[in-house]
Amino acid sequence: DSRGRDRRWSTDPGIHPVEEDFLGPDPAWLRAGPFDVVCCLGNTINLFLEDDRVERLFELASRAVGEGGVLVLDDVPCWCEEWLDPEDWPDGIHRSGTQQLAWVPDAPIFSYRRGTEVDPGARVPGPEERLLRLWSAPELDRLADLHGWTPSRHLEDDLLMVFSRGS
C-alpha cells in the first residue's frame, strides 16, 4: 500500500510497498515504478493454471524493474517430490490423515483438502474446489527467460524463488 498502512513485513523507512492485483486489466503499479524488487506473495503463482498468465507476470515485472531488479515468487513448493512419495502421501492422503491432495488426472493440477475436507473416496477435485498448479522450476525458468530474467535461485527454507534482470 503506497500509504504505508501495513508495514508488518518491513520496518525499513526506505521501503515503500505498493499492493495491487498483479495482473489486473490496468496495472497502475507499473506506473508507480521503477522498482528494485517486485514480490508475488502467498501461493499466487499456484493459482495461475495456464502458462500465459505466468508469462504475463514475468513480462509485467520486467517492465516494472530496471537492470539488476529482482522478482520474488513466494510460497513456491519446490519440494513437491514429497507430495508424490507413496510413503508420505499414499493415495494422495498424508500419512497423518489430516491433508489430501486430489489431483486432476494427467496434469500438475490439484486441490488441497484439510481436516474434515479429506475424503478418501474422492481422489480428483470436485467442481467447487479451488484448483492449484504445481509449477516446476524448469517451467518457471523457461517462462522467465522469455522476458530477460535469469534462472531462479531457490531459497528452499522460505519457499522462495528469486529471479534477476540482467547479469
Side-chain angles (χ1 to χ4, degrees):
D1 179 315
S2 59
R3 295 174 301 260
R5 281 189 309 218
D6 185 359
R7 301 193 54 85
R8 290 176 294 193
W9 57 273
S10 175
T11 58
D12 186 323
I15 294 178
H16 304 285
V18 175
E19 294 179 21
E20 185 181 346
D21 182 354
F22 242 64
L23 301 177
D26 181 27
W29 64 274
L30 282 174
R31 294 185 292 279
F35 300 101
D36 296 321
V37 178
V38 171
C39 298
C40 182
L41 302 176
N43 65 354
T44 302
I45 194 76
N46 302 103
L47 295 170
F48 300 157
L49 304 182
E50 304 87 14
D51 285 9
D52 61 333
R53 291 198 67 206
V54 174
E55 185 181 345
R56 175 127 167 91
L57 179 147
F58 285 115
E59 186 264 326
L60 290 175
S62 71
R63 289 176 30 204
V65 303
E67 188 75 13
V70 174
L71 171 63
V72 177
L73 302 182
D74 175 43
D75 204 14
V76 180
C78 299
W79 38 263
C80 61
E81 297 80 22
E82 293 174 10
W83 288 1
L84 303 176
D85 185 341
E87 303 260 336
D88 280 343
W89 294 87
D91 295 323
I93 299 175
H94 190 267
R95 63 182 164 194
S96 68
T98 61
Q99 301 173 74
Q100 182 179 15
L101 302 174
W103 292 91
V104 171
D106 301 318
I109 297 172
F110 65 97
S111 64
Y112 175 70
R113 301 176 185 151
R114 293 177 41 188
T116 60
E117 299 170 338
V118 173
D119 182 356
R123 296 178 61 180
V124 298
E128 73 289 349
E129 292 184 270
R130 179 177 72 172
L131 297 178
L132 301 165
R133 178 165 175 177
L134 190 59
W135 291 92
S136 71
E139 287 174 308
L140 294 173
D141 285 343
R142 179 184 57 80
L143 294 169
D145 181 59
L146 296 173
H147 296 283
W149 295 97
T150 62
S152 59
R153 287 184 297 123
H154 299 261
L155 305 175
E156 191 69 27
D157 290 344
D158 299 315
L159 298 180
L160 297 177
M161 291 182 78
V162 180
F163 299 85
S164 300
R165 291 281 293 162
S167 52

